[in-house]
Amino acid sequence: MHAEPAALVETLMRQPNLTANKLIPALMRYDDDGRAQSDDGGHQAIRYLRFCINKQNSRDPTVYNYYLTLLVKESASADESELMEFLTKYGTDMLYDPDYALRMCKRYGRIQSCVHLYSLLKLHEDAVDLALKHGDIELAQIHAERPADDDKLCKRLWLKIAQHVIAQQAAASTVMELVRRSNRLGIEDILPYFPDFTRVDDFKDEICVALEDYEGQIQELRDEMDEAGRTAEAMQRDMQQLRRRFAVVSESEGCQICMQPLWQRQFYVFPCQHSFHADCLTRRVVGTCNRVQRRRIQELQNQSVELARTRRQLRLKPMVRGALAGAKEESEEQVEAQVRRNRAQMDALVAAECVLCGEAMIRTVGEPFGDDGDASADGADGWAI
């Protein structure tokens, strides 16, 4: 590498079985001795590493990191095209260390590459800040759109750029062009950053457009509020109609479970016209519900028995006057309130839906028609056609 670097590189490139990372110490000494430029002006270490990456498809991170180091050293601050091409092409697969690349680019003042690496590391605000620090507005605008999936962050980055442009005392037309290009900012976002003595005439058209947009949004909100009000009124009417809804039950109507006359005991009638005795319906629901609901139904049944006993005892006591009568009346009211509360909870569990056409019946689709005991001779005869 010291005497004939170009010829040696030609020889190395004709040897496909060489391991590139073992040659890096020799390439580093060649670069440190100040003989990196051959007669034709090309850097032979860069030439060989480029061959290893592009032709031999090397995947060794050491090769990529050292190739990156040479590119950073040799590229001019005004022309980082080759370095940027390398960072962009191999940054997706992370074949080089982006943190190491960022340190090297900072050390040698490769601003465009630093901004790119900040974006690659998801440090978008740092990327925009660095671009603005060096006065590169176009570069800052490019990287302000990088977090495309985060609208709030994009708007914050564009607002930072607009604030920087306003601080540079740019013309109002320049600022408004920036706002239009962003597609995220409005005149109301940038007005607070202008000096107090700024002429409003420069933004008259944009302010009028913003006010028209706000008027349209306010009208949409009013329409939504009116629609919500109409919906609430319709729901109130439906609730009132539900309170007045009733069902006509004939005297011959029977329970759909036990087939006994319905009027003999307390019963439920559903909008689907199915009717059940309360105890028959409770037994059917207990057989299909989960363990938690079954335990709660049993608790409510026990409470109903206790409340019925308490109410009967209160009614059997003799009526007295004075304070005792007031205490008795208050106790009866409390018991009645508990009875109503208990009944409402029981109705919510037992009579939430019809057991013949609700989800409980749908869940029994996979169950057999008969029990295991139906496999006997009598059971088989019962299914005979």
Side-chain angles (χ1 to χ4, degrees):
M1 289 296 291
H2 293 277
E4 295 292 337
L8 178 60
V9 168
E10 287 290 342
T11 304
L12 295 176
M13 291 168 61
R14 288 195 293 268
Q15 305 298 320
N17 296 325
L18 291 177
T19 305
N21 61 355
K22 294 183 179 180
L23 296 174
I24 287 181
L27 299 178
M28 294 178 66
R29 287 195 297 270
Y30 160 74
D31 184 60
D32 293 339
D33 289 344
R35 301 180 182 181
Q37 299 294 332
S38 62
D39 295 337
D40 59 358
H43 195 292
Q44 297 304 312
I46 292 179
R47 179 187 170 202
Y48 176 67
L49 293 176
R50 185 186 300 118
F51 170 80
C52 294
I53 293 174
N54 296 334
K55 301 299 182 181
Q56 295 184 340
N57 296 322
S58 174
R59 310 290 289 182
D60 192 339
T62 306
V63 175
Y64 282 84
N65 286 331
Y66 187 58
Y67 180 60
L68 169 69
T69 303
L70 296 179
L71 288 180
V72 172
K73 290 182 179 179
E74 295 300 321
S75 63
S77 58
D79 183 15
E80 303 177 27
S81 57
E82 186 177 4
L83 177 59
M84 282 295 301
E85 181 182 359
F86 173 79
L87 294 175
T88 305
K89 183 176 181 180
Y90 299 105
T92 304
D93 298 332
M94 289 297 178
L95 296 176
Y96 58 85
D97 186 354
D99 295 321
Y100 170 75
L102 182 59
R103 291 195 300 271
M104 292 299 297
C105 291
K106 280 185 176 181
R107 178 179 176 183
Y108 288 92
R110 306 297 183 250
I111 304 304
Q112 186 177 358
S113 300
C114 286
V115 173
H116 174 79
L117 288 168
Y118 273 129
S119 291
L120 186 65
L121 294 170
K122 307 298 183 183
L123 302 174
H124 302 290
E125 295 198 31
D126 292 332
V128 172
D129 288 338
L130 182 61
L132 294 177
K133 180 179 179 181
H134 290 82
D136 197 336
I137 305 298
E138 291 294 332
L139 183 62
Q141 293 178 17
I142 292 173
H143 288 274
E145 285 295 326
R146 290 294 175 88
D149 56 343
D150 191 344
D151 292 337
K152 292 183 178 180
L153 178 58
C154 283
K155 183 175 181 179
R156 189 163 65 247
L157 296 177
W158 276 104
L159 192 60
K160 185 176 293 188
I161 297 173
Q163 188 176 359
H164 176 81
V165 172
I166 294 173
Q168 297 294 325
Q169 297 182 355
S173 58
T174 304
V175 179
M176 295 313 304
E177 177 64 25
L178 176 67
V179 171
R180 285 189 289 270
R181 186 182 303 178
S182 69
N183 291 326
R184 300 178 186 275
L185 299 180
I187 184 64
E188 67 278 5
D189 296 319
I190 63 171
L191 277 180
Y193 299 104
F194 279 98
D196 295 337
F197 53 83
T198 303
R199 291 173 55 87
V200 180
D201 294 341
D202 297 333
F203 314 103
K204 181 173 62 177
D205 296 337
E206 286 75 13
I207 292 176
C208 291
V209 172
L211 291 176
E212 291 176 357
D213 292 341
Y214 279 129
E215 183 179 2
Q217 295 176 9
I218 291 173
Q219 186 61 40
E220 291 179 0
L221 291 175
R222 287 176 179 171
D223 295 340
E224 292 178 0
M225 293 174 61
D226 294 340
E227 182 65 24
R230 289 192 292 269
T231 303
E233 292 176 357
M235 291 177 64
Q236 290 179 356
R237 288 194 299 270
D238 292 342
M239 292 175 63
Q240 292 175 359
Q241 292 177 359
L242 286 174
R243 293 192 185 100
R244 294 193 297 266
R245 189 175 60 176
F246 62 91
V248 177
V249 179
S250 64
E251 60 182 9
S252 60
E253 188 75 24
C255 174
Q256 299 292 329
I257 297 177
C258 67
M259 301 304 172
Q260 297 298 319
L262 194 64
W263 51 269
Q264 290 182 351
R265 301 191 299 274
Q266 180 183 359
F267 60 88
Y268 289 98
V269 178
F270 290 89
C272 57
Q273 300 302 316
H274 288 141
S275 52
F276 311 91
H277 288 133
D279 54 344
C280 296
L281 180 62
T282 302
R283 284 194 298 271
R284 176 65 66 88
V285 172
V286 168
T288 58
C289 65
N290 57 48
R291 184 173 57 185
V292 177
Q293 293 174 334
R294 189 180 303 116
R295 184 185 301 115
R296 181 56 181 162
I297 290 174
Q298 292 175 354
E299 292 176 356
L300 291 174
Q301 288 177 331
N302 295 333
Q303 291 177 10
S304 298
V305 173
E306 293 294 332
L307 290 172
R309 183 183 299 112
T310 303
R311 184 165 55 179
R312 186 166 56 252
Q313 291 175 356
L314 290 174
R315 288 177 178 176
L316 291 176
K317 288 182 178 180
M319 298 295 295
V320 295
R321 300 180 181 274
L324 292 177
K328 178 177 182 296
E329 183 179 357
E330 183 179 358
S331 299
E332 287 182 354
E333 291 179 356
Q334 292 177 355
V335 171
E336 292 297 331
Q338 292 178 5
V339 169
R340 288 192 296 270
R341 192 161 50 246
N342 182 276
R343 185 178 302 164
Q345 294 178 6
M346 179 65 78
D347 291 343
L349 289 172
V350 174
E353 61 179 5
C354 177
V355 294
L356 296 184
C357 53
E359 291 186 6
M361 179 57 68
I362 295 174
R363 288 195 295 268
T364 62
V365 170
E367 297 180 1
F369 286 107
D371 298 333
D372 294 339
D374 291 341
S376 62
D378 296 337
D381 293 339
W383 287 98
I385 298 176

